[in-house]
Amino acid sequence: LKDRIVTNSSVLWAFHRAEGTGSSILSALQDLFSVTWLNRSKVEKQLQVISVLQWVLSFLVLGVACSAILMYIFCTDCWLIAVLYFTWLVFDWNTPKKGGRRSQWVRNWAVWRYFRDYFPIQLVKTHNLLTTRNYIFGYHPHGIMGLGAFCNFSTEATEVSKKFPGIRPYLATLAGNFRLPVLREYLMSGGICPVNRDTIDYLLSKNGSGNAIIIVVGGAAESLSSMPGKNAVTLRNRKGFVKLALRHGADLVPMYSFGENEVYKQVIFEEGSWGRWVQKKFQKYIGFAPCIFHGRGLFSSDTWGLVPYSKPITTVVGEPITIPKLEHPTQQDIDLYHTMYMEALVKLFDKHKTKFGLLETEVLEVN
């Protein structure tokens, strides 16, 4: 009897101990899941930051870094690798002028979705586009890097191909970028092409219909005045894109990207200062203007760095302006459609400004 009592007591003690252990395990699992969820949110945010930083660094230093690496390899026992690449470069030199080699695989990388969600970036469609026509999209404003233009038209993160089915977007950028090894391959894989007459003529005349060339009309000059809170475009004397549209009968589509100027802060040099003089010389002879700018740091938004601030960027695509095909457009023709384009851009800005955080009294400054 004594042994049975002892045995029953042991079983009861073991049961209570197991019950306590089970509660402890359940509590620990709940804590673990809550911590994991918290960490998952932080990890996702860091992945967004890294995805943006990799593109910024690629744009700024990839071409120069790869050029230096190839020159170094040329001086080592692995010189054959450099020779083979440079040989390939010679044979492939004109590919960017024909629209490049876009890769749907690259355009659909998961990294671009993290890129999109960091700001976030949104593409707003207001009108359908006919696949039987070609288009020149004017992107405004330039900002420091045109991050909205890249995300919306060089990746599928905002589903541009689904929103405009049958339309092939080509984001046009400085031709000098396509002279830099490896960077040129990276750019072409996203559907980026040189912004020069030969390329645009080819895409609008020898590449069928349904092509949309995205030109950041304000260019380097506009980037020099980019700053948070400012809505200004450099457009009044930019008429070359209108002349190209008339020569090929390509419809003009105005776009405004709300928030593009908010993601970086830069030092603005006054007209007549030595800083502005240097910037203009670079712009004149090299094609781009160096800016002194900063965003946030990699690990903290309270520090300075190259990571842009996470401000929403919303690109609104306006109504296409039907353009006739004129092989030899007169200055009067160019001025007429340029005026129509400016009026359409201002109208687009005024219609959507209050939806994206601007006051009704905000005015688009056209320079």
Side-chain angles (χ1 to χ4, degrees), residues 137-314:
F137 285 26
Y139 184 89
H140 311 272
H142 184 289
I144 296 295
M145 291 189 185
L147 296 170
F150 169 75
C151 183
N152 285 316
F153 301 106
S154 295
T155 79
E156 292 297 329
T158 55
E159 300 184 329
V160 62
S161 294
K162 292 182 179 179
K163 290 177 180 177
F164 299 102
I167 302 297
R168 293 181 299 278
Y170 294 89
L171 177 60
T173 187
L174 290 175
N177 290 322
F178 297 91
R179 301 187 186 104
L180 299 174
V182 181
L183 175 62
R184 69 190 294 275
E185 323 298 339
Y186 196 17
L187 295 178
M188 285 194 292
S189 66
I192 302 177
C193 66
V195 60
N196 56 36
R197 180 171 173 175
D198 290 342
T199 304
I200 295 173
D201 282 344
Y202 179 87
L203 291 174
L204 295 180
S205 63
K206 299 179 181 178
N207 200 45
S209 60
N211 301 293
I213 301 173
I214 295 87
I215 299 177
V216 186
V217 179
E222 193 172 84
S223 69
L224 296 179
S225 60
S226 171
M227 60 184 296
K230 186 172 184 179
N231 289 286
V233 296
T234 302
L235 177 61
R236 201 169 295 280
N237 295 317
R238 300 292 175 106
K239 301 180 181 181
F241 73 105
V242 178
K243 184 177 181 179
L244 284 169
L246 285 165
R247 289 180 60 245
H248 295 284
D251 294 347
L252 290 171
V253 181
M255 293 188 293
Y256 196 84
S257 204
F258 295 90
E260 184 69 63
N261 283 342
E262 307 298 319
V263 297
Y264 278 116
K265 298 176 182 178
Q266 75 161 316
V267 177
I268 304 293
F269 293 102
E270 297 295 331
E271 289 292 337
S273 65
W274 67 269
R276 182 54 65 98
W277 180 83
V278 170
Q279 289 176 325
K280 287 187 174 181
K281 289 297 181 182
F282 266 84
Q283 179 186 340
K284 181 178 179 179
Y285 294 108
I286 301 179
F288 76 94
C291 303
I292 300 177
F293 65 92
H294 73 85
R296 53 157 287 181
L298 178 59
F299 299 106
S300 172
S301 59
D302 297 325
T303 59
W304 287 9
L306 290 176
V307 180
Y309 294 105
S310 55
K311 304 291 185 179
I313 299 176
T314 305

